[in-house]
């Protein structure tokens, strides 16, 4: 009897215990307070089924329990930076700037690869710079709305995409990412929220539009004396054609080269009728700038020789195999918009072509002055000129290796090729030797063209005009 009573008590206890276990199991299956099931949907749209708590400690790319990418954690990273195998110079510059910023901040160098997958396999954690073969294959991102000056930065899964509507916009996007994410991180950890998204969409401000023109005028009546129709190419004949080019293009500022005494007299004579005033380089007025005097006022102007001693020395024989080269110089004018107060610096130049060394060193003098003016006035820079070199040369690459870029390659709409005609035809050069360059972070370039206009078949000069419409961003 006693044994039977004990057995009944044991049976009752077991039933109670089983009931408690079943209730606990049922409770574990109910939804959480947030309405999500176990495992969360990240802002980037991917399902995090294990809530990151079961990941091994070697995967440092996300914070356990949080929707965060760890770009760098305790000096370690699972990320690599990816660029296209055929990426542009601006994209390469962007990549190097990002790598250096991360190295400077954390002391750790992040791996850099191209999108050539046979050599560099796809990884789960990547920072992708610009357009690569990863697009539409490893991730989907709609970039169709990006204009030349627009960019976006976005996480897609465990990838960070930095991309612009042009390579210069991609560079701008990378600099934004560095300044807002990398520079603000602590020294050991760099993180980014999953679902992070930033877009910079440019809207045109007509008050900040500037149309720029450069024109080598051809200084004399005799340079093409052997031309069969030399009588049609005197300054007296050509001056009206130049005037018509100015009227038809309606630029705000014009850089002129080979502005000899007859040209200066002509421009000063017609200035009131075409609203342009002329500023000649004070060291030698063979280069000058014409500007819309109704729209702009002059804050400062200065000139300098393209020589080792730019303030005093007209030329350097040591740059020209011991021979005396033609005197070359540069100038700049700080303009202020009368209506808005916006300022910019307009440089103008005519570079020598005697030797490559000469052109390289004269280019470096120009860049030194651009750097000085940029630091002093902190304003956008543009330069017009007959550079006597094309985009295929070492000198050109030197000029565009820093803050300056050619409007031809920045423009949303770009037309024309060669700019030197020798009074023959437009195909004397397949690349322009007359350029309009800008400090690319300060301007949006809407259009570029080499103006191939002739007048009853006759040229205005042995150089065509080059015209760009640019917009000040600052």
């Amino acid at each position: 009897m006693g044994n039977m009573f004990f057995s009944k008590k044991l049976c009752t206890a077991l039933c109670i215990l089983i009931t408690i276990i079943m209730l606990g199991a049922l409770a574990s299956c109910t939804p959480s307070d947030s309405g999500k099931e176990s495992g969360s949907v990240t802002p980037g749209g991917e399902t995090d089924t294990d809530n990151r708590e079961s990941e091994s400690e070697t995967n440092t790319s996300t914070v356990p329990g949080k929707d965060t990418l760890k770009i760098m954690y305790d000096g370690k990273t699972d990320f690599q930076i990816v660029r296209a195998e055929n990426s542009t110079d601006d994209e390469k510059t962007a990549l190097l700037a990002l790598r250096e910023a991360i190295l400077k901040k954390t002391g750790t160098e992040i791996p850099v690869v191209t999108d050539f997958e046979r050599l560099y396999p796809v990884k789960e954690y990547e920072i992708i710079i610009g357009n690569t073969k990863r697009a539409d294959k490893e991730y989907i991102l709609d970039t169709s709305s990006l204009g030349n000056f627009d960019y976006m930065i976005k996480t897609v899964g465990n990838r960070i995409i930095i991309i612009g509507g042009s390579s210069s916009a991609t560079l701008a996007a990378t600099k934004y990412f560095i300044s807002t994410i990398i520079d603000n991180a602590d020294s050991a950890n760099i993180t980014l929220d999953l679902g992070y998204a930033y877009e910079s969409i440019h809207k045109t401000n007509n008050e900040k539009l500037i149309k720029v023109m450069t024109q080598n005028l051809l200084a004399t009546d005799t340079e093409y004396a052997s031309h069969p129709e030399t009588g049609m190419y005197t300054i007296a004949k050509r001056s009206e054609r130049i005037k018509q080019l100015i009227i038809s293009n309606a630029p705000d500022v014009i850089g002129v080269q080979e502005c000899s005494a007859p040209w200066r007299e002509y421009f000063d004579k017609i200035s009131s009728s075409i609203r342009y005033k002329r500023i000649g380089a004070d060291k030698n007025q063979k280069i000058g700038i014409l500007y819309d005097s109704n729209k702009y006022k002059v804050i400062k102007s200065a000139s300098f020789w393209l020589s080792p001693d730019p303030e005093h020395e007209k030329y350097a024989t040591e740059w020209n195999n011991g021979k005396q080269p033609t005197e070359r110089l540069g100038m700049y004018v700080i303009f202020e918009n009368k209506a808005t107060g916006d300022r910019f610096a307009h440089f103008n130049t005519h570079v020598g072509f005697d030797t490559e060394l000469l052109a390289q060193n004269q280019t470096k003098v120009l860049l030194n002055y651009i750097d000085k003016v940029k630091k002093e006035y902190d304003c956008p820079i543009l330069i017009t000129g007959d550079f006597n070199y094309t985009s295929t040369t070492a000198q050109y690459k030197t000029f565009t290796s820093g803050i300056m870029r050619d409007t031809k390659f920045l423009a949303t709409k770009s037309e024309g090729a060669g700019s030197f005609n020798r009074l023959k035809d437009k195909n004397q050069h397949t690349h322009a030797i007359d350029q309009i360059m800008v400090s690319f972070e300060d301007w949006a370039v809407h259009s570029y063209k080499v103006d191939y206009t002739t007048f009853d078949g006759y040229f205005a000069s042995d150089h065509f005009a080059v015209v760009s419409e640019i917009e000040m961003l600052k």
Side-chain angles (χ1 to χ4, degrees):
M1 187 78 174
N3 289 337
M4 184 180 296
F5 178 76
F6 177 78
S7 298
K8 285 183 179 180
K9 290 182 68 177
L10 178 62
C11 184
T12 301
L14 287 171
C15 288
I16 293 170
L17 179 61
I18 291 168
T19 301
I20 291 170
I21 291 170
M22 289 179 68
L23 287 172
L26 286 171
S28 69
C29 294
T30 59
S32 66
D33 291 341
S34 65
K36 294 181 182 179
E37 294 187 357
S38 177
S40 62
V41 178
T42 69
E46 294 195 350
T47 302
D48 182 5
T49 56
D50 61 7
N51 211 26
R52 298 299 177 192
E53 292 182 352
S54 63
E55 289 186 335
S56 67
E57 292 183 0
T58 58
N59 187 339
T60 60
S61 295
T62 54
V63 178
K66 294 184 180 180
D67 294 333
T68 305
L69 287 173
K70 282 187 176 180
I71 300 169
M72 190 69 65
Y73 190 67
D74 287 340
K76 298 177 182 178
T77 184
D78 288 335
F79 275 86
Q80 63 183 10
I81 304 175
V82 183
R83 67 168 176 87
E85 189 178 14
N86 60 344
S87 56
T88 66
D89 288 343
D90 279 340
E91 288 167 341
K92 291 174 185 174
T93 300
L95 178 149
L96 293 172
L98 179 57
R99 183 177 65 176
E100 288 302 311
I102 293 172
L103 177 62
K104 182 179 179 181
K105 174 62 70 171
T106 67
T108 301
E109 189 165 317
I110 191 167
V112 171
V113 301
T114 74
D115 60 359
F116 185 54
E117 293 178 15
R118 288 200 300 179
L119 287 180
Y120 307 105
V122 176
K123 291 185 67 175
E124 183 179 359
Y125 300 99
E126 295 181 325
I127 303 173
I128 297 174
I129 306 291
N131 267 315
T132 71
K133 293 176 183 177
R134 301 284 201 271
D136 300 326
K137 185 178 177 183
E138 303 298 333
Y139 67 88
I140 303 295
L141 185 62
D142 183 9
T143 59
S144 59
S145 64
L146 295 180
N148 267 23
F149 321 117
D150 307 333
Y151 61 81
M152 67 169 60
I153 305 168
K154 191 171 184 178
T155 61
V156 182
N158 292 322
R159 290 184 172 84
I160 302 166
I161 318 300
I162 302 175
I163 189 168
S166 63
S167 60
S168 60
T170 297
L171 176 55
T174 306
K175 290 187 175 183
Y176 177 85
F177 185 78
I178 291 168
S179 65
T180 57
I181 304 301
I182 307 302
D183 290 349
N184 289 326
D186 65 40
S187 60
N189 305 309
I190 302 174
T191 63
L192 187 67
D193 290 342
L194 279 165
Y196 174 93
Y198 178 83
E199 287 189 358
S200 174
I201 306 298
H202 175 74
K203 294 182 179 179
T204 301
N205 183 341
N206 290 329
E207 288 188 343
K208 292 181 177 289
L209 287 176
I210 301 174
K211 187 176 275 191
V212 187
M213 177 172 162
T214 187
Q215 177 70 70
N216 183 311
L217 298 166
L218 180 54
T220 70
D221 294 344
T222 58
E223 185 169 339
Y224 292 89
S226 61
H227 193 283
E229 294 186 274
T230 187
M232 297 302 296
Y233 288 108
T234 63
I235 292 175
K237 292 284 187 182
R238 293 187 296 106
S239 57
E240 183 62 26
R241 299 170 201 162
I242 292 291
K243 178 182 175 181
Q244 290 306 313
L245 282 175
I246 293 173
I247 292 171
S248 64
N249 284 295
D252 295 294
V253 288
I254 313 165
V256 292
Q257 306 85 40
E258 296 195 32
C259 190
S260 56
W263 281 113
R264 297 196 291 271
E265 292 170 9
Y266 175 74
F267 286 129
D268 293 346
K269 179 181 177 182
I270 67 168
S271 63
S272 59
S273 65
I274 61 172
R275 81 175 188 275
Y276 293 95
K277 287 186 177 179
R278 179 184 65 85
I279 300 177
D282 58 351
K283 291 189 179 335
N284 189 322
Q285 296 199 26
K286 64 182 180 180
I287 64 170
I289 294 173
L290 309 180
Y291 69 99
D292 183 345
S293 57
N294 292 335
K295 188 173 181 179
Y296 300 105
K297 66 179 181 181
V298 175
I299 302 301
K300 180 183 178 180
S301 66
S303 64
F304 48 92
W305 299 108
L306 302 184
S307 73
D309 183 1
E311 296 301 323
H312 307 100
E313 190 175 43
K314 294 182 178 181
Y315 50 80
T317 56
E318 62 269 32
W319 291 354
N320 196 44
N321 296 327
K323 299 177 182 177
Q324 179 178 323
T326 303
E327 299 170 4
R328 303 288 184 178
L329 71 162
M331 65 177 294
Y332 67 88
V333 178
I334 307 297
F335 286 112
E336 183 177 295
N337 186 308
K338 293 179 179 179
T340 67
D342 291 330
R343 291 184 177 185
F344 65 94
H346 181 175
F347 280 75
N348 186 43
T349 193
H350 192 177
V351 177
F353 57 87
D354 305 64
T355 65
E356 183 176 324
L357 177 64
L358 180 77
Q360 272 280 21
N361 286 331
Q362 290 184 346
T363 294
K364 291 174 183 178
V365 173
L366 285 166
L367 291 172
N368 285 339
Y369 272 84
I370 287 171
D371 184 57
K372 289 176 184 177
V373 169
K374 182 72 171 169
K375 287 178 179 176
E376 181 177 355
Y377 289 93
D378 189 27
C379 65
I381 307 286
L382 70 90
I383 183 169
T384 53
D386 175 0
F387 285 80
N388 275 313
Y389 50 72
T390 72
S391 59
T392 62
T393 62
Q395 304 92 283
Y396 180 95
K397 289 178 172 60
T398 297
F399 201 96
T400 56
S401 63
I403 66 170
M404 304 301 290
R405 295 289 188 278
D406 194 337
T407 56
K408 177 181 177 70
F409 302 110
L410 296 178
T412 303
K413 181 181 180 182
S414 186
E415 301 175 279
S419 62
F420 186 45
N421 60 58
R422 296 182 187 272
L423 304 184
K424 291 180 179 180
D425 60 61
K426 69 180 184 182
N427 296 315
Q428 292 301 299
H429 275 294
T430 55
H431 301 277
I433 61 173
D434 303 89
Q435 279 106 15
I436 300 171
M437 310 268 202
V438 293
S439 51
F440 74 95
E441 291 186 332
D442 301 325
W443 304 92
V445 183
H446 292 279
S447 65
Y448 165 97
K449 73 172 181 179
V450 182
D451 190 337
Y452 291 127
T453 301
T454 58
F455 302 84
D456 295 325
Y458 296 107
F459 300 99
S461 172
D462 60 345
H463 291 245
F464 292 112
V466 176
V467 184
S468 282
E469 186 174 52
I470 61 180
E471 180 188 353
M472 194 182 301
L473 298 178
K474 294 185 176 181

